Amino acid sequence: MNKQKRIEILTRLRDDNPHPETELEYSSPFELLVAVTLSAQATDVGVNKATRKLFPVANTPQGILDLGLEGLRDYIKTIGLFNSKANNVYKMCQILVEKHNSEVPENREALEALPGVGRKTANVVLNTAFGWPTIAVDTHIFRVSNRTKFAPGKDVVEVEKKLEKVVPKEFKVDVHHWLILHGRYVCTARKPKCGSCLIEDLCEFKEKTE
């Protein structure tokens, strides 16, 4: 996979979707942080279903604390691992109130110090809420990067570093949205839809499907 091919792939993805957005529903950095934390090993659709009920009632750190841990659990019990996620979100809200004046910090170190927030979640928040050119690598991006040979790597950190290196600056802010959506709807896990893929001729996956 050479530089020319990569630029053509990114150009086609951009032309097809010039302003990509996360499929998680949110209206503030805090809502996004909560939604991304809840989305680990869960679908965006499932998370949105729960937050549509939760956020009108509590969409600030203090609002969540006022609900109480049990109250929070009730709102998110349809999401996988809801017990540990409720504990993390509740503790996260305590820290945001005590240390960050109830604001989501625009700082990787401070974000990663919050319960339930790892590198991927911090990258999503910095990118989507604050416009940083960070690249969050999830299972979809990991698969697409390796399968197409766009940015192969043996783990998510290696793929992230490779993407950082090979994606030109003008594409960096949006690239993780394009790759997630591509992996979710076209380059799917079990059987990629190569026949309806707009980058099929540039992709270096050998076992193409119809």
Side-chain angles (χ1 to χ4, degrees):
M1 176 71 65
N2 59 31
K3 185 180 176 183
Q4 210 178 341
K5 265 192 184 179
R6 287 194 182 97
I7 287 175
E8 180 57 28
I9 285 172
L10 293 167
T11 302
R12 287 188 198 176
L13 292 172
R14 179 175 64 187
D15 290 348
D16 183 58
N17 185 3
H19 306 291
E21 291 179 350
T22 177
E23 293 189 316
L24 289 169
E25 294 168 4
Y26 73 99
S27 63
S28 68
F30 176 70
E31 287 188 3
L32 178 68
L33 175 61
V34 171
V36 179
T37 305
L38 296 178
S39 73
Q41 294 168 300
T43 65
D44 288 0
V45 172
V47 172
N48 289 339
K49 224 175 186 171
T51 58
R52 273 178 210 148
K53 291 176 181 166
L54 171 66
F55 289 155
V57 177
N59 70 342
T60 62
Q62 191 58 54
I64 299 273
L65 295 178
D66 291 345
L67 267 186
L69 189 53
E70 283 307 312
L72 176 60
R73 276 198 193 116
D74 272 351
Y75 278 100
I76 65 166
K77 63 187 176 196
T78 52
I79 300 171
L81 310 174
F82 75 93
N83 270 321
S84 62
K85 287 177 182 177
N87 288 334
N88 282 337
V89 169
Y90 194 79
K91 284 180 197 152
M92 175 203 293
C93 290
Q94 288 174 322
I95 293 168
L96 289 174
V97 169
E98 287 162 17
K99 290 190 178 174
H100 301 288
N101 200 26
S102 295
E103 297 292 326
V104 175
E106 190 180 337
N107 172 296
R108 175 185 297 287
E109 218 177 1
L111 284 169
E112 288 187 21
L114 296 170
V117 177
R119 185 175 181 83
K120 189 190 87 177
T121 298
N123 275 340
V124 172
V125 172
L126 290 171
N127 174 278
T128 307
F130 300 115
W132 286 31
T134 50
I135 302 171
V137 177
D138 70 347
T139 51
H140 295 302
I141 294 182
F142 183 76
R143 180 175 66 252
V144 171
S145 297
N146 277 292
R147 190 185 267 165
T148 60
K149 305 288 186 284
F150 188 95
K154 64 180 186 299
D155 57 40
V156 291
V157 174
E158 202 174 293
V159 168
E160 183 188 330
K161 284 181 178 159
K162 189 79 186 276
L163 286 167
E164 291 281 357
K165 196 171 145 190
V166 302
V167 174
K169 194 178 174 186
E170 62 176 300
F171 298 105
K172 271 205 172 125
V173 169
D174 291 324
V175 68
H176 100 261
H177 290 307
W178 291 323
L179 294 180
I180 281 176
L181 295 169
H182 193 68
R184 191 172 282 165
Y185 297 111
V186 183
C187 198
T188 46
R190 287 189 185 166
K191 192 183 178 191
K193 298 167 183 165
C194 301
S196 59
C197 173
L198 54 83
I199 59 167
E200 185 190 5
D201 56 318
L202 300 164
C203 161
E204 296 182 5
F205 180 53
K206 289 191 169 58
E207 297 132 48
K208 294 226 169 65
T209 63
E210 290 303 313

